[in-house]
Amino acid sequence: FTARTIIDMLEDQHSEFWLSQLRLHKARHKKDRQYQFWQEGNHPQQIYSREMMQQKIEYVHNNPVRKGYVEDPTHWRSSSARNYAGLPSLLEVETNWW
């Protein structure tokens, strides 16, 4: 549902760059679709401690840094790192989860 909604929105907005990226990264064996939104694979893991939750949050926050998009996680506009740092953000995020 989510992928279809986003792809429909991108098509409606004629977002050719993003649509071309979704076409480019589509798995070769996916013959029934033009685009692929989600990455292949699913490896769920139970979060069983505060330390593990913190590790997962830091991992997600540092993704744009590892990719070289920003030097600090809080500089990524849509990151919840901004919420955890007490900075203005695009969405409200619950930071007191434990």
Side-chain angles (χ1 to χ4, degrees), residues 37-77:
F37 187 81
W38 300 115
Q39 180 179 349
E40 291 286 312
N42 181 12
H43 307 286
Q45 201 175 37
Q46 180 179 358
I47 297 177
Y48 54 83
S49 69
R50 181 181 182 88
E51 291 77 22
M52 185 177 191
M53 180 68 156
Q54 188 64 42
Q55 185 269 332
K56 300 301 179 193
I57 291 170
E58 288 175 14
Y59 175 83
V60 170
H61 287 169
N62 282 298
N63 277 335
V65 176
R66 278 190 292 282
K67 282 288 199 175
Y69 298 145
V70 292
E71 291 185 17
D72 183 285
T74 60
H75 295 166
W76 191 249
R77 187 169 179 240

Side-chain angles (χ1 to χ4, degrees), residues 10 15-26 34-35:
L10 291 171
S15 299
E16 291 306 318
F17 172 78
W18 293 113
L19 292 169
S20 69
Q21 292 298 302
L22 296 177
R23 263 191 307 272
L24 176 68
H25 296 289
K26 179 179 74 82
Q34 188 176 7
Y35 307 107

Side-chain angles (χ1 to χ4, degrees), residues 2 5 14 19 27 30 34 36-37 41 43 46-48 55 60 65 72-73 76 79-80 84 87 89 93 96 98:
T2 304
T5 302
H14 306 288
L19 292 169
K30 299 284 187 175
Q34 188 176 7
Q36 182 167 343
F37 187 81
H43 307 286
Q46 180 179 358
I47 297 177
Y48 54 83
Q55 185 269 332
V60 170
V65 176
D72 183 285
W76 191 249
S79 175
S80 63
Y84 284 88
L87 298 170
S89 61
V93 173
N96 187 13
W98 204 272

